[in-house]
Amino acid sequence: MNAEFGHLAVILAFMVAIVQMAVPLTGALKGWQNWMAVAVPAALLQAALIALSFASLTWAFVTSDFSVALVANNSHSAKPMIYKISGTWGNHEGSLLLWVLILTLFGAAVALWGRALPGRLKALVLSVQASIAVAFLAFLLFTSNPFERLAVPPLDGNDLNPLLQDPGLAFHPPFLYLGYVGLSMAFSFAIAALIDGRVDPAWARWVRPWTLAAWLFLTIGIGIGSWWAYYELGWGGWWFWDPVENASFMPWLFATALLHSAIVVEKRNTLKSWTILLAILAFSFSLIGTFIVRSGVITSVHAFANDPTRGMFILLILAVFIGGALTLYAFRANALRSDSVFSLVSRESALVMNNLLLVVAALVVFVGTVWPLVAEMATGRKLSVGPPFFNLSFTPFMVALAMMLPLGAILPWKRARPGRAMRPLWGPLALSVALGALVWSLQTGGRMLGPVGAVLATWVLLGALADLGQRARVGKAGAGEVLRRLGSLPRADWGKAVAHGGMGVMIFAISAITAWQQEDIRVVQPGERFAFAGYELTLERVERVEGPNYSSDMAFIALDRDGRRIATLTPEKRFYPVQRFPTTEAGIDLGVTRDVYVVIGEQQPDGGWVVRSFVKPFANWLWAAVAFMALGGVLSLTDRRYRLGAAVRPAARAVPAE
């Protein structure tokens, strides 16, 4: 009865979502307070029902209930418990139920913690959020039922995709969905504002924490996915511009732009129409990512489904929500005009430029992702758009963003004098150029990418420190006063500095890995020793190892330098017999300034083994940078101004509905 109970909970949640969508909206349009009040209990009940349903599905996986088709197709009794649990969302139907669960939990969070919201706006937000739930619950019930039973259950299951049987992939999807679905809150606030006809600083204060939370989760999810690709897939890279990677990266770029744009609305009550558009586009690209992953239009290790029927259903959802939102925006945007003015040199202008760079960069990624699909439909020929295109077309926008970031963060609002604003930045600029010159002189050969990356990274990092120093009056006040000022800075200011500093570290790590990586591939006999990049590697032996649900050829490779043993690396070639699928596990010696990365390949007829070796400079700095950026998000999210809620809205007459 467990599966039937879970299915019934989904059906009841679908009915509650319909009520939550229709009743509060009607109440908000008619001014009926008792109808608007339905939104809160409906949101809480809907979340509770979906949580019960998800718990039922998880229990089916944990207990290996192979009478449930989804469990039989995606689990196995010999699988470790962590992968039985993660198998709940390691498939199309289960991941969609997780998607809906997170959607309803965000709605419940607004219902619980949105007490400061005006009743009409809160009802509209929860009504829009429920409309998204209605669409995806219909998708779940009519095309993707996770509780479907088998008439004759098998003795054991088909196992989970071996590539997903990894701790990184156990946590990667939930964090991504928290980001994807978190952007639905910004969307709901935007649509509610369009219906209400009013956007003001209070609205921006309310929407920023939800956008920031979504951005934070997306950052963590993308970082975990990158780390997983680095050590699991065996090709030695951390980003390949895969369509599904791009599907998560595009909403992240829009969310970053939205965060900065909302600051302008909050501080200066301008860019209101543009901010609403960004909120719509951010969630729209989350929906586009859902279509890419589940429609079958692309083939990827990340993709969940390849059923065209499901793809058409998602396409219909895209048309309704994206088309409907943009149509409403077209009719109502004029009501959001602002009379605020600012000069060409000001923080507002810098944030506008920030937005334009991020949005155009996201559109470049979008074009590169969908162009092969469009070209194939138009010409019938398969085209490939790979890393060279993205690296060449995307990188200039990020370089421009890094160049303007420190100055833009330090400019005053409304009007600024460039010479005065640059005063605290001349030192960081000089140090950045000097460091770039030093790197250029020290590198033996190599590309200019390394020195240029060092200059940009140092400029961004020192610029973030200079911003903090200016706020604390470093050089103008005593040490005690400086410390007092630093301690009294809002957490959002610290979060901005840490996140920007993390971006600087990331620029350096990407540049260093790309410019200075060394690679070697050869056939090595057991017991043979070879030199590579200043190290000596010895293939001591290769053993057959039996795992819980796989067998493995595990190599033992000694890593020495200057006659001293540094580590013994154990790369593997695993084989999962149930799915008859091989995977690669890299052997990595992690270091502060480099990783030594070794992959074992196929055994050759002469008894030797293919060994591929890399030295990756500053590789760990990449994920340290992601951690710093995420920490910046956490610091900003814990700012007391968000905990206390937004100030009371000034009285204003709403624009009549059209």
Side-chain angles (χ1 to χ4, degrees):
M1 289 296 292
N2 175 63
E4 286 72 21
F5 179 77
H7 192 200
L8 177 62
V10 174
I11 294 172
L12 292 175
F14 180 57
M15 297 169 64
V16 171
I18 293 174
V19 172
Q20 183 185 335
M21 175 183 66
V23 174
L25 176 62
T26 304
L29 295 177
K30 298 290 187 180
W32 299 340
Q33 294 293 331
N34 55 340
W35 283 45
M36 287 190 283
V38 171
V40 170
L44 297 175
L45 178 59
Q46 186 189 164
L49 288 169
I50 295 298
L52 287 173
S53 177
F54 189 79
S56 298
L57 185 62
T58 303
W59 183 250
F61 273 87
V62 167
T63 58
S64 297
D65 183 358
F66 297 121
S67 67
V68 178
L70 193 66
V71 180
N73 291 330
N74 295 279
S75 192
H76 191 272
S77 59
K79 192 168 60 175
M81 181 56 69
I82 184 175
Y83 303 130
K84 288 184 179 181
I85 296 173
S86 65
T88 308
W89 56 80
N91 54 81
H92 167 70
E93 292 85 354
S95 67
L96 186 61
L97 184 58
L98 176 63
W99 207 101
V100 176
L101 172 64
I102 294 172
L103 181 75
T104 58
L105 289 177
F106 270 103
V110 171
L112 287 172
W113 298 324
R115 296 185 180 92
L117 285 168
R120 173 181 165 89
L121 180 64
K122 186 175 183 178
L124 289 171
V125 168
L126 291 176
S127 176
V128 176
Q129 192 77 356
S131 70
I132 303 170
V134 168
F136 278 91
L137 284 170
F139 183 38
L140 189 74
L141 287 170
F142 300 137
T143 73
S144 310
N145 179 14
F147 297 102
E148 183 179 344
R149 290 281 194 180
L150 293 175
V152 182
L155 294 177
D156 218 326
N158 292 332
D159 209 357
L160 180 66
N161 183 341
L163 288 174
L164 304 181
Q165 295 187 38
D166 180 87
L169 261 291
F171 299 103
H172 169 62
F175 275 107
L176 274 188
Y177 290 175
L178 284 165
Y180 278 149
V181 184
L183 290 174
S184 68
M185 288 311 312
F187 177 85
S188 296
F189 271 96
I191 300 303
L194 288 174
I195 296 172
D196 197 28
R198 185 170 56 188
V199 176
D200 54 25
W203 176 89
R205 181 71 61 84
W206 289 316
V207 80
R208 274 185 67 196
W210 301 105
T211 306
L212 182 57
W215 178 89
L216 169 63
F217 289 127
L218 264 180
T219 301
I220 296 172
I222 292 171
I224 293 175
S226 174
W227 170 236
W228 167 80
Y230 177 69
Y231 70 77
E232 174 69 20
L233 298 183
W235 55 282
W238 48 272
W239 192 263
F240 196 66
W241 296 106
D242 179 279
V244 181
E245 292 175 339
N246 296 346
S248 62
F249 190 43
M250 290 183 289
W252 185 89
L253 292 169
F254 277 104
T256 306
L258 175 59
L259 275 176
H260 291 83
S261 181
I263 294 173
V264 183
V265 178
E266 181 182 345
K267 302 294 185 183
R268 297 286 299 143
N269 197 27
T270 190
L271 296 187
K272 294 187 288 187
S273 179
W274 171 249
T275 302
I276 291 289
L277 179 60
L278 282 178
I280 293 171
L281 291 176
F283 183 61
S284 296
F285 274 82
S286 290
L287 294 178
I288 290 170
T290 302
F291 174 74
I292 290 174
V293 172
R294 302 172 190 278
S295 63
V297 297
I298 57 99
T299 301
S300 167
V301 297
H302 308 78
F304 280 122
N306 55 11
D307 185 349
T309 303
R310 292 170 175 171
M312 290 303 298
F313 202 114
I314 298 176
L315 204 57
L316 178 61
I317 294 175
L318 287 177
V320 170
F321 282 96
I322 299 178
L326 292 178
T327 301
L328 180 61
Y329 174 80
F331 278 103
R332 304 288 282 167
N334 284 338
L336 306 177
R337 287 181 177 177
S338 173
D339 296 329
S340 299
V341 294
F342 50 88
S343 72
L344 187 61
V345 182
S346 63
R347 184 173 298 189
E348 293 95 327
S349 294
L351 288 171
V352 169
M353 183 58 66
N354 159 289
N355 277 206
L356 291 176
L357 290 171
L358 288 167
V359 168
V360 174
L363 294 177
V364 166
V365 176
F366 176 69
V367 170
T369 302
V370 303
W371 179 250
L373 307 176
V374 175
E376 184 176 356
M377 287 188 294
T379 66
R381 294 185 300 172
K382 288 186 177 293
L383 298 179
S384 176
V385 176
F389 166 81
F390 290 104
N391 293 337
L392 185 64
S393 58
F394 178 82
T395 303
F397 297 104
M398 294 300 100
V399 170
L401 185 65
M403 290 173 63
M404 63 166 289
L405 183 58
L407 179 60
I410 217 165
L411 284 173
W413 295 104
K414 194 172 181 180
R415 185 177 295 106
R417 287 185 291 175
R420 183 174 182 179
M422 273 297 297
R423 285 176 188 170
L425 295 174
W426 286 118
L429 180 60
L431 286 173
S432 302
V433 174
L435 180 62
L438 177 63
V439 170
W440 178 79
S441 65
L442 290 177
Q443 72 174 17
T444 54
R447 298 151 59 182
M448 282 300 296
L449 180 61
V452 170
V455 171
L456 289 175
T458 309
W459 168 241
V460 172
L461 183 57
L462 294 182
L465 295 176
D467 187 20
L468 287 177
Q470 185 187 45
R471 292 173 182 271
R473 296 181 61 82
V474 172
K476 299 178 181 179
E481 176 68 9
V482 168
L483 291 176
R484 188 193 66 79
R485 284 176 172 270
L486 286 174
S488 62
L489 283 177
R491 288 189 182 181
D493 289 346
W494 280 102
K496 180 184 76 170
V498 172
H500 287 181
M503 180 181 174
V505 176
M506 177 173 289
I507 290 171
F508 176 71
I510 293 172
S511 303
I513 296 172
T514 307
W516 302 324
Q517 172 181 288
Q518 299 181 66
E519 179 181 355
D520 176 81
I521 184 169
R522 65 179 70 204
V523 176
V524 184
Q525 299 290 335
E528 183 179 346
R529 190 181 187 92
F530 65 95
F532 167 60
Y535 296 92
E536 291 185 334
L537 290 85
T538 305
L539 177 59
E540 295 180 334
R541 65 190 185 280
V542 179
E543 293 183 358
R544 175 56 62 94
V545 177
E546 294 299 327
N549 61 334
Y550 63 84
S551 59
S552 169
D553 290 321
M554 179 182 290
F556 292 81
I557 299 178
L559 178 66
D560 299 312
R561 184 161 196 171
D562 299 328
R564 182 174 59 89
R565 177 62 50 86
I566 297 175
T568 298
L569 307 180
T570 55
E572 299 179 59
K573 290 287 292 185
R574 291 182 179 178
F575 182 75
Y576 291 77
V578 175
Q579 291 221 342
R580 306 195 62 79
F581 193 93
T583 66
T584 300
E585 301 287 326
I588 309 175
D589 179 49
L590 304 175
V592 175
T593 60
R594 91 313 173 250
D595 284 358
V596 178
Y597 182 108
V598 180
V599 177
I600 190 78
E602 300 296 331
Q603 187 175 24
Q604 302 302 297
D606 63 356
W609 294 81
V610 175
V611 176
R612 191 175 185 184
S613 310
F614 301 85
V615 171
K616 296 180 171 293
F618 300 97
N620 282 318
W621 290 37
L622 181 62
W623 294 285
V626 173
F628 272 113
M629 294 173 72
L631 176 61
V634 171
L635 288 173
S636 296
L637 200 57
T638 56
D639 192 303
R640 65 186 300 272
R641 292 172 295 181
Y642 295 142
R643 297 200 304 273
L644 294 175
V648 178
R649 267 184 160 171
R653 187 173 62 87
V655 177
E658 312 230 343

